Amino acid sequence: MTLTGGEYDVIEVFRTVIKNAPYGKYAAVAQYKIGLYLSEKRMYQEARDEFDKVINDYPQSEWVKAAKYQIAVVDAARSSSPQYDQRVTKVATEEFEEFVKSYPDAQLSAKAKAEVAALNDKEAENNYLVAKFYVKQKKYEAAKIYFNIIIEDFPNSSWAPLAAGQLRILEKKNK
């Protein structure tokens, strides 16, 4: 992979550091910086792979914690908008939750919690859109399932009160 930054190839510089001293004190940070550079270029899957290398190749490094956080960040960036499949969103949510669990006192844990809330809101919105689709199709029982998922799985989301209101409307229609 060749990405040029300024007068030189940024990634090649970091790869040379790693190649020349694979277990030297700068190898893990060089690997991490490759991931950051790719993330900045919006090459999220490639960045994720580089952060994984930090975790796998330098498990005792101080950069592992940051790499785990960045994996969740790039997965959140890769997640699709609410009207599409939310598998990557779920993965990112789990990674942020795992980060908070593993590093509860880390400075980044507060940011990770905020990311979880935002990703949960995105998933709740996805369920809301699906439910509204079923309402339009007059498939009210299916719509109720999705509105209930929002209320049960994402009670703190901005979509939970809307889902509850929609359920009340559907209940009145069934009477």
Side-chain angles (χ1 to χ4, degrees):
M1 172 180 305
T2 303
L3 291 175
T4 305
E7 299 293 315
Y8 53 89
D9 185 339
V10 173
I11 291 178
E12 281 309 310
V13 169
F14 289 129
R15 292 227 191 276
T16 301
V17 168
I18 295 165
K19 182 180 174 192
N20 289 340
Y23 296 102
K25 71 180 193 174
Y26 299 113
V29 67
Q31 187 68 58
Y32 179 79
K33 298 256 182 182
I34 292 170
L36 281 183
Y37 182 80
L38 292 170
S39 179
E40 288 172 13
K41 296 294 181 191
R42 296 179 181 219
M43 300 176 71
Y44 299 124
Q45 182 59 53
E46 294 85 349
R48 188 185 202 292
D49 294 342
E50 298 301 328
F51 293 129
D52 267 337
K53 287 180 187 174
V54 174
I55 295 164
N56 295 326
D57 296 351
Y58 310 102
Q60 303 306 314
S61 168
E62 65 187 284
W63 293 96
V64 167
K65 184 189 315 181
K68 286 183 178 182
Y69 181 79
Q70 289 300 326
I71 285 173
V73 168
V74 296
D75 278 346
R78 285 182 336 124
S79 74
S80 55
S81 61
Q83 57 269 44
Y84 298 103
D85 185 1
Q86 294 299 302
R87 278 182 272 197
V88 175
T89 304
K90 286 179 180 155
V91 169
T93 301
E94 290 167 3
E95 289 164 345
F96 279 122
E97 289 171 341
E98 181 61 34
F99 181 86
V100 170
K101 185 177 166 188
S102 297
Y103 308 105
D105 299 328
Q107 273 186 320
L108 291 174
S109 286
K111 273 180 93 173
K113 288 177 186 175
E115 290 285 347
V116 167
L119 291 168
N120 282 339
D121 210 62
K122 186 189 249 189
E123 279 192 73
E125 181 181 1
N126 174 264
N127 283 301
Y128 189 84
L129 293 172
V130 171
K132 290 299 280 184
F133 169 80
Y134 282 124
V135 168
K136 282 183 183 176
Q137 300 297 315
K138 297 186 183 337
K139 297 186 180 201
Y140 302 122
E141 291 306 311
K144 285 180 186 179
I145 291 169
Y146 282 91
F147 287 134
N148 278 314
I149 287 171
I150 296 166
I151 293 165
E152 291 170 18
D153 294 352
F154 308 105
N156 298 322
S157 75
S158 61
W159 297 94
L162 296 170
Q166 290 295 314
L167 275 174
R168 284 191 295 277
I169 291 168
L170 290 176
E171 290 301 323
K172 286 179 184 175
K173 282 186 179 186
N174 281 348
K175 287 184 178 182

